[in-house]
Amino acid sequence: NKETNNQTVEQGALVAEEERGRILVSLCYNTEKGCLLVGIIRCAHLAAMDSNGYSDPFVKIILQPDMGKKSKYKTSVKKKTLNPEFNEEFSYEVPLDQLAKKTLEISVWDYDLGMSNDFI
């Protein structure tokens, strides 16, 4: 519990106010091939970013520290939805002893034609 303006507020309530959606991912390390498999399954309850009350979401994933072009991936864009199903898998070749030194950055974006994409 947190004290805010002399009121007690549960932390779960604060998180719910700031939440802009959820994402389900799967992570698996294949020891035979020496690679990290990242599955982008789906998102739910995304924030509406377009004037029609929907978003055109896609997911960007980057393995840091940057390994060049091979470290960046994007899913396909799902049009007019706040609950997209991606079911896409990406692979990073990274030795097991280096895995603990890596950070996987996952972000969800709203695609906008002819304009800059919006971070969801």
Side-chain angles (χ1 to χ4, degrees), residues 51-69:
S51 59
N52 62 10
Y54 293 103
S55 291
D56 303 316
F58 67 95
V59 179
K60 282 188 200 179
I61 59 173
I62 303 171
L63 191 64
Q64 301 283 3
D66 202 340
M67 303 174 346
K69 282 281 188 193

Side-chain angles (χ1 to χ4, degrees), residues 8 66 102:
T8 302
D66 202 340
K102 302 287 185 182

Side-chain angles (χ1 to χ4, degrees), residues 58-99:
F58 67 95
V59 179
K60 282 188 200 179
I61 59 173
I62 303 171
L63 191 64
Q64 301 283 3
D66 202 340
M67 303 174 346
K69 282 281 188 193
K70 292 181 184 177
S71 71
K72 299 177 183 181
Y73 289 110
K74 287 198 288 191
T75 65
S76 58
V77 175
K78 303 297 180 183
K79 298 284 187 183
K80 294 184 182 177
T81 182
L82 300 178
N83 300 291
E85 294 270 345
F86 294 103
N87 294 316
E88 297 182 35
E89 191 171 76
F90 304 95
S91 175
Y92 290 104
E93 287 184 25
V94 56
L96 184 58
D97 63 337
Q98 294 294 307
L99 195 58

